[in-house]
Structure formats: C-alpha cells, structure tokens
Amino acid sequence: MTLWTAAEIAAATGGTATADFSVDGVAFDSREVGERDLFVALTGEHTDGHRFLDQAFAQGGSGAIVSQATPRPSVQVGDTFAALEDLARAARARVSGKVIGVTGSVGKTSTKEALFAALDRAPGVKAHRSVKSYNNHTGVPLSLARMPADTDFAVLEMGMNHPGELAHLTTLVRPHVALITAIAPAHTEFFPDESAIADAKGEIFRGLEHGGTAIVPYDSPHRERLIAAAKPYAGRIVTFGLNREADVNAADAMTVRGGGSFVNAQVGGRALSFTIAQPGRHWVSNALAVLAVADAVGADLALAGLALAEMGGLPGRGARIEVGVGDRDSGGKAIVIDESYNANPASMRATLAVLAQETGRRVAVLGEMRELGEQSAEYHAGLADAVIAARVETAVLVGEAMRPLAEALEGRVDFVHVPAAAQALDRVRALIRPGDAVLVKGSNGVGLSRLVSGLANGMS
C-alpha cells in the first residue's frame, strides 16, 4: 500500500510537487533511504540534506521534500523541517486507530517495543511504532510521517532533555493513551531537581485526545504530582506498579530459571498469570505498564502476556550475546549483557541487579553517565553499593566522570579505570574467562556499543 503520493505530500505541507511520484517510506538520513522512500532534506547548523539528494535517489528514493530547486522529483517547500511536522500532522489526522504515547526517564524504548509486540500479535491487526529511539523533535514527526493510514495501533516514543519539549511533541502525537514509565535522575544538568523532571514528563498528558487515558507509575515518589498533571487532560487515570494498591499490579512475582519472572497480575480486578522473558525487577514494572496500556485500548491481554514471554533483549538494551573466549578450538564461552545504549543512576542500579542473578564470575564494564550536572560526582560514587551488592569481581570503569566511583570502590572491589571505550575493550579481552557474565552499560556517547561489537566479533 502506497504511504504517500506527491499530491498528498504537497497538500499536507503547502508545497508544490514538481513531478508525480509515490513513496512507501520516509527518511531524513540519506544513509537510511531505501527503495521507494521519500527523502526529507533537512537543513541544520552543521549539515544540509540537499547535499545528499543524489545519494538518496541512487539508493532508490522516489521523491524528496526540498527547499532548494532540484531536477529530482520533489515537493518544494519554504522550510523542510516545518514540512516534516506538517506531514506528521497529516499522518496523525488520517489514522482512526488508537495512538499511544510513551515517555519516562527509564524503560521507554523497551516498553515501547514490548507494547508493539503485544499489539501486533493479534491476527489481522496492523501496528506501527517508532523505530530505534527516534523520540526527539525530528524523530517523533518522522515516526508519524511513516505511519500508514490503516494503522490500528501506533506506539510512539517521546523523549526530552529540556522543559517544554514534550508539550510540543505530544500535540503532534495526540495520543489516546499516554504512559509514563518511571521518573529518575536523567538530564539533571538541565533540571533543578527530580520534581522538575516529573513536571516535564507530565507534559505528555497535555496532548491527550478527549476522554483519553493517562497511565502513571504508582511506585514513583512523584505519583501524586503526575496524577495532578494528568487530571486536567485525562478522562481516566490508571496506575501500575508492584504495590498492590495500584490499578494494575503484581500480586506475586518470582524469578524463574533463565532469569525472567513469573507474574500473577491484577488488571482492573481480573487475574492474569504470565512469564516475562527479560530478567530484572524493572521488567516486571515494564510488563505491568504494557498490560495497563493493552487494557486501556481494548487489546487481548492473553496475547500481550504471550508476547512478553517471547520477547528477546534489544541491542543496547538487554540483548544477551554469547561470545567465544580463548583460542578457537577451546570452545570457551562467556555471556555479554548489552546495555550499552544509555545510562542513568536508576537504570545502572537495575541492570547491576540483573547481573547479580548471573552464575559464574561477574564483570561490569561501566561507562560514565552524562548530563547529570553538578550532582554528577555524587551520582557516580553512589553506584558503589550497587556494584558491591551485585558481587562484581572485576569492574572496568570508562571515562573521567567515573573517577568518583573508582574512589568509592577502592579496596572494596577490584577495578581498572580507563579513559575511553578502546582501552576498555583491550582490558576486557585480557581479563574475560569462560563462564563469565559481562555487563556493559554506559551513556551512548561513551561508545560502549563498539566494545560489544568487538567482543561479539571475536575474542582471540
């Protein structure tokens, strides 16, 4: 099914079509353009998408949105970023299915993926989601512009690192259901305290469709603040959490063989028992959020439970990779837990708790946490107890901001402190042994994903 025609793009953006074309996808990164895609030539401080028009069409692109003259099939507009937002609004306006907005300090991408898996599982249902972590001022309109007109369920992730960002993004998404996964210290460089983070996350409720549902984490110390933020906009407020007072709660949750959890949940007075493939108590909370949303949009809860049981880890967010150790003939293996995409104090503690469940020797490769502002040293040093509780035998600390943690671990846990991911890879290759469990976690900018790739591509 065609996603957009040139005439539809022109009508949505107020632009002028220079040729008749149709597209099946949308991209603003020329490297991601595929067959029959629309390329949006965004301009910025450091680059200009118009420079990559030839590349985009060479890779199979069918048309472009441009603000400069080109002989290529295109829709000419005054501002390509404004046009992308206009296309997003048009995409949202033509969809009659249920739209779900997801935000939170931690767990939003994993929960978004779990929600998509739960909703997409039903026969005949067409579900759509944000790809990767496209959750910012360009990623959200791109995800909307990619949404087919016949979508039954859309799950759209929204992020922010400054006040006011979500207030704008949620007016593009206009969710029927808005979920906040959790509030935790993240981007604290831009906020005076955690309450301000909660207020910024609560902006998601401002875009709720009339009568929409707000879903709030019951276990958060900011629960009442979030409920107050939702009340002016939501027709219904639902809480989820481990506490049995939550509307959707875990009556019982126990760890099962392999590290996942078996959960007896209560969903609006109904009982549901299911297994979560992913390890960690934080995944129980994520799963309850999934059930709360599924119930709010009238989806099949049993199918949602099955999706949670079968969901594997995501690259950078819990994927488990078996890597060879030693010479190629030895057959030695170790497990790498890939949490390299991002990190803040709450997610660090949660994944260290997952590492604690592993058998064998535990190795933690921990990259610095960024955008923590004046409290950065305190947050880093504060991870020492979690490292010790996880019974880490050796820690590899990466980045200058990890120095306070190194000082806090002195004499308590064996560790090495290196400046960058390249040196960390050499250290891990030297110390890893068969049977080890290696957690890799840090802010994305540290580059620990390259360390994971280096381990996965061969240890010998």
Side-chain angles (χ1 to χ4, degrees):
M1 181 177 178
T2 296
L3 182 64
W4 296 104
T5 66
E8 289 169 339
I9 297 167
T13 63
T16 302
T18 65
D20 186 19
F21 62 86
S22 59
V23 299
D24 298 333
V26 184
F28 56 62
D29 184 336
S30 60
R31 295 166 296 183
E32 295 184 357
V33 173
E35 290 292 329
R36 289 182 51 79
D37 274 356
L38 174 72
F39 175 57
V40 185
L42 297 180
T43 58
E45 293 182 10
H46 305 295
T47 188
D48 183 349
H50 296 86
R51 293 168 47 206
F52 305 101
L53 282 166
D54 288 345
Q55 177 184 340
F57 280 92
Q59 291 174 193
S62 293
I65 293 179
V66 297
S67 58
Q68 301 173 16
T70 176
R72 300 288 190 177
S74 63
V75 173
Q76 304 267 342
V77 298
D79 182 324
T80 53
F81 176 72
L84 176 61
E85 286 203 335
D86 288 338
L87 195 62
R89 292 186 184 94
R92 175 64 185 87
R94 68 182 185 176
V95 165
S96 60
K98 297 293 186 181
V99 177
I100 300 148
V102 180
T103 194
S105 302
V106 292
K108 56 183 175 290
T109 300
S110 299
T111 303
K112 177 257 297 182
E113 291 293 328
L115 267 170
F116 173 78
L119 298 172
D120 191 54
R121 193 181 184 95
V125 165
K126 295 182 179 180
H128 173 76
R129 73 190 186 284
S130 309
V131 298
K132 301 181 181 178
S133 289
Y134 282 174
N135 61 22
N136 63 3
H137 66 290
T138 52
V140 171
L142 177 68
S143 297
L144 282 164
R146 290 173 165 177
M147 182 168 58
D150 60 349
T151 295
D152 296 305
F153 295 111
V155 189
L156 296 162
E157 179 182 340
M158 289 178 268
M160 64 89 202
N161 57 18
H162 287 85
E165 287 182 85
L166 277 177
H168 174 63
L169 295 178
T170 192
T171 62
L172 295 177
V173 173
R174 290 169 38 216
H176 298 93
V177 178
L179 163 68
I180 295 178
T181 58
I183 303 297
H187 311 299
T188 53
E189 179 180 355
F190 309 112
F191 295 93
D193 54 34
E194 202 170 284
S195 294
I197 296 173
D199 290 341
K201 293 295 185 184
E203 292 172 9
I204 192 175
F205 301 129
R206 300 182 190 180
L208 274 170
E209 291 285 82
H210 179 71
T213 302
I215 300 183
V216 171
Y218 186 94
D219 302 322
S220 172
H222 307 287
R223 176 183 72 241
E224 295 306 320
R225 198 178 195 95
L226 297 175
I227 289 173
K231 277 184 176 178
Y233 308 99
R236 179 175 175 234
I237 299 173
V238 175
T239 60
F240 71 94
L242 303 177
N243 191 301
R244 294 193 182 190
E245 295 299 316
D247 298 316
V248 179
N249 67 76
D252 298 290
M254 61 199 78
T255 302
V256 297
R257 189 170 184 175
S261 299
F262 178 77
V263 181
N264 289 312
Q266 294 289 322
V267 184
R270 289 160 292 163
L272 178 69
S273 298
F274 61 98
T275 300
I276 307 169
Q278 294 303 300
R281 194 170 179 82
H282 60 295
W283 257 106
V284 177
S285 181
N286 291 347
L288 294 171
V290 168
L291 294 182
V293 173
D295 186 49
V297 297
D300 190 314
L301 294 181
L303 290 180
L306 288 173
L308 290 163
E310 295 177 0
M311 186 174 175
L314 305 173
R317 293 182 172 85
R320 299 170 68 87
I321 304 165
E322 191 176 74
V323 301
V325 179
D327 63 71
R328 297 185 183 279
D329 297 326
S330 69
K333 300 288 185 182
I335 292 294
V336 175
I337 304 170
D338 178 14
E339 287 277 357
S340 61
Y341 184 78
N342 218 339
N344 57 45
S347 64
M348 277 282 198
R349 291 178 178 277
T351 50
L352 282 164
V354 170
L355 181 63
Q357 300 174 17
E358 298 294 325
T359 58
R361 195 175 68 137
R362 300 170 188 86
V363 177
V365 183
L366 305 178
E368 63 186 22
M369 302 175 290
R370 298 183 174 176
E371 295 185 354
L372 293 180
E374 294 179 357
Q375 293 179 284
S376 177
E378 179 183 345
Y379 283 130
H380 282 85
L383 295 177
D385 289 343
V387 172
I388 292 165
R391 304 188 303 281
V392 171
E393 184 166 319
T394 300
V396 179
L397 309 180
V398 187
E400 180 58 30
M402 272 293 176
R403 188 169 299 281
L405 178 57
E407 294 171 354
L409 292 177
E410 189 73 49
R412 305 168 75 187
V413 174
D414 288 338
F415 69 88
V416 294
H417 186 200
V418 298
Q423 293 90 340
L425 177 58
D426 293 337
R427 293 284 190 157
V428 175
R429 280 177 164 158
L431 66 86
I432 194 170
R433 300 198 301 249
D436 285 355
V438 184
L439 170 65
V440 182
K441 178 79 172 170
S443 285
N444 192 40
V446 181
L448 292 181
S449 60
R450 294 192 294 273
L451 181 145
V452 173
S453 296
L455 296 177
N457 290 334
M459 287 292 303
S460 54

